[in-house]
Amino acid sequence: MRAARYHEYGDPTVLTVEEAPDPTPGPGEIRIRVAAASVNPVDWKVRSGAVRDLLPVDLPAVPGRDAVGRVDRIGEGVEGVGIGDRVFGLGGVTGATAELAVLSAWAPAPAAWSDEEAAGAALASVTALSGLKALGPLSGRTLLVEGAAGGVGGAAVELAVAAGATVIGTADAHNHAFLTALGALPTTYGAGLAERLAAVAPQGVDLVLDTAASGSLGELVEIAGDPSRVVTVADHRNAGRLGVRVADAVNDPAYLAEAAALGERDRYTPRVERTYPLEEIAQAHAHSEGGHVRGKIVVVL
């Protein structure tokens, strides 16, 4: 199969497209013929070696955690899915950006989603849902999402709105129309956030989800009034000392099915900023690593 691979840790220039061995699904897994795969911040952090102590990989490695495609092989013990079914889902820390990928968690891809949209759904939705569920019931609550224009933040906005929350999202001013389209009340992040929130939400903020790790976690705790009302999916470094819960992405098919059900009802649509062909995987990683991405970056095979 053709795959993006890197043989050593480094910057995006270590990425190449080459022939690689076909992966084989194990028990409880499926293999898909990939239509598209997304690029997530974790992908370039792993590729660079920045998190090698936490997430070591065997080299050479194929980048990517989530993808969409048609099932072409089914592992032992798997039920409820057939050859040719169109699914989106998650594999391991690596392995998705290739013609064939193994998934350990998946759900049927909504017909309303394009391949590019479905490719950007899995990791963003399970991360967002992990954070939102850690905050408890959302209906009738006012939720602040820090970093709401990114892949996870944007998913969190739509999923929280669908759950009945009033959502305020922080982003650069040029992304405010995007946040409004997602269903959020937009404001800018940074110094003076509490004062701006007083104007946007005079009734106050009930809950906070941090998806940005921008150094604002202490201020977010002050805004919420209690660390128990704040969850971060990004700022592992500061969460412990502030008493803030961390929610990590999990390969949970129930979360994927929940996101897909909302997609079928037009309540959640993964937002894609830009797509790249497989041959431009290095440019796709560089784009993601440069930051300020609105929605998801997707590689099309």
Side-chain angles (χ1 to χ4, degrees), residues 30 32 67-71 81-82 84-89 103 106-109 118:
I30 62 171
I32 62 170
V68 63
R70 300 278 179 180
V71 178
V81 67
D85 287 355
R86 180 174 177 259
V87 301
F88 73 109
L103 304 181
W106 61 88

Side-chain angles (χ1 to χ4, degrees), residues 6 9-11 14 43-52 289:
Y6 53 98
Y9 293 120
D11 66 24
V14 302
D43 300 332
W44 53 259
K45 291 175 183 177
V46 169
R47 184 217 69 229
S48 71
V51 294
R52 72 180 74 182
E289 201 163 348

